[in-house]
Structures are given as structure tokens and as C-alpha cells.
Amino acid sequence: MMELIRQYFPDLTAYQYEQIEALGPLYTDWNSKINVISRKDIDNLYLHHVLHSMAIAKAVRFADGTRIADIGTGGGFPGIPLAILFPQCRFTLIDSIGKKVRVADDVARRIGLENVVCRHERAEEEKEKFEFILSRGVMPLPDLCAIANRLIDRNTQRNAYPNGVVCLKGGDLGSETARFKKVKEIIEIQNFIKDDFFKDKKIVYVQI
């Protein structure tokens, strides 16, 4: 499935393509030991997980130096694919399930990501401040924003989007977004990636 990555992200360096290509065997090996990704879904790793995560980069370009937290990262999505795309940004991957954090940490280390820190903790325990909070369908948007409200750095501004939450969601978001007057964007991923898998997949940005 690397052809899909090259099709939609044609301007990456050879090293970035190598890092992305290495994800397949690494996650397949880990998945044989720990159920990080649904067993029936591991064959769709690049479309359903890697490319889905990378879609955020089509909507939001993080400036160099941006500090980003991925809450409920699981085995490293969307944090690890985005850390490959934005090597000058700093990613903190947070999850409360230790075995999944070990997978994310091992994968990041093996592909040479020096801009990733993995933490086994609940997001509510995190003390650091970040410019953006990422999430991939981990919790309802109001719950995610409640956590992000405490974690967002309001003193640093270096991106086109004001600091806030960027998350991957699917389906009808009316009830989740109704209370957020500061929802700036609900972006259809099919605007960028023409595949049926993404027909109801969205990127949601909320200014915090």
C-alpha cells in the first residue's frame, strides 16, 4: 500500500518513505503478540491507520517547534505517522494502557523518530503544556476538549490555526459539535484522499 502514500504525499524524503514502509512489518510483528490493531484490520494498516493519521497533515501544517500531544494514542496513531511528516515538531504520545505504549515507544525507536516521547499515564495526569492536542476517535469531543482545556499552552502562538484540538472523527457529528461555538473547521477527508474508506471520515478542529 506504499503506492497510496506516495500518491497522496509525493514530496516526502527518501528517509520518510523508508520510515513509513518500516511500519508495516513492525506493527504486524507486534500485533502477533499484542492485539494493538484489530486482527482482521492489520492487513489494512496503511489505509485505515497510517494514511488516516496522515490525513491531518492535509488540513493542518504544524510549524517547526510545535509541541503536540496525542491523547489515547494506542499503538501510536495518529502520532507516529505525523511525527514522520513533521520531524521538527515534538510529539508526546499518551495512553493509559501500558502494553500499547510499549508498542508505540518501540516502533518510534526502531524507525529512528527522535521527536517522540511516549508516556504511560492518563491524560488527566499530564503536567506539560502543548500547542495542539490530537486524538483519533478516542472519546466524545466534549470530554476531549475538557482535558485539552487544561493542557493547551495559551502563551505560544506559531501556527496558522490558533492552539487547540485536532481530532479524527466519523459519522454524524452534530450532537458532539453543537456546543462548540469556536469549532473552526469540520473537514471531509475525501476532499484530499479519494477512497471509499474515508467517505464519512472527518478532521475536526476546535480552538481552545
Side-chain angles (χ1 to χ4, degrees):
M1 296 295 287
M2 281 297 295
E3 63 271 15
L4 272 179
I5 304 296
R6 293 178 183 275
Q7 176 184 346
Y8 289 108
F9 292 87
D11 300 322
L12 304 186
T13 67
Y15 183 56
Q16 286 172 311
Y17 286 128
E18 287 175 14
Q19 289 177 305
I20 294 168
E21 193 162 15
L23 296 178
L26 285 171
Y27 278 110
T28 299
D29 180 56
W30 267 112
N31 225 50
S32 67
K33 307 167 189 173
I34 297 172
N35 192 23
V36 180
I37 295 167
S38 168
R39 303 283 186 190
K40 62 184 180 182
D41 207 32
I42 189 66
D43 291 340
N44 296 311
L45 174 74
Y46 280 100
L47 179 63
H48 292 184
H49 301 277
V50 178
L51 192 57
H52 190 201
S53 299
M54 292 169 68
I56 288 174
K58 291 290 190 180
V60 183
R61 300 297 301 179
F62 296 113
D64 288 357
T66 301
R67 290 164 288 119
I68 302 158
D70 176 7
I71 291 177
T73 188
F77 299 102
I80 284 178
L82 290 173
I84 294 172
L85 295 184
F86 298 102
Q88 301 305 315
C89 296
R90 179 169 177 257
F91 289 80
T92 300
L93 278 50
I94 298 168
D95 203 282
S96 62
I97 301 175
K99 64 183 180 180
K100 293 187 176 182
V101 174
R102 288 196 298 275
V103 173
D105 189 57
D106 182 73
V107 170
R109 180 176 55 81
R110 287 177 180 268
I111 66 172
L113 286 177
E114 298 180 354
N115 60 333
V116 169
V117 173
C118 298
R119 293 181 181 160
H120 174 207
E121 64 182 9
R122 291 174 55 80
E124 293 84 351
E125 300 167 345
E126 177 59 47
K127 302 294 193 295
E128 191 175 343
K129 298 290 186 182
F130 305 93
E131 289 154 87
F132 287 91
I133 303 297
L134 305 180
S135 185
R136 184 170 177 253
V138 171
M139 65 184 74
L141 189 60
D143 297 340
L144 178 62
C145 289
I147 293 171
N149 190 55
R150 185 180 58 82
L151 296 178
I152 288 291
D153 177 0
R154 293 177 172 82
N155 298 316
T156 304
Q157 182 63 58
R158 72 181 97 213
N159 288 271
Y161 280 92
N163 299 352
V165 167
V166 179
C167 59
L168 294 165
K169 289 280 188 178
D172 182 6
L173 300 177
S175 61
E176 284 197 56
T177 60
R179 72 176 69 179
F180 294 102
K181 295 180 180 179
K182 288 187 177 180
V183 171
K184 296 296 185 182
E185 300 279 355
I186 299 177
I187 303 161
E188 302 283 346
I189 292 180
Q190 274 203 327
N191 290 347
F192 313 112
I193 303 175
K194 307 299 184 183
D195 189 280
D196 285 345
F197 172 71
F198 296 109
K199 65 183 179 182
D200 66 342
K201 303 290 191 298
K202 302 171 179 69
I203 300 162
V204 179
Y205 161 75
V206 181
Q207 180 180 347
I208 298 295

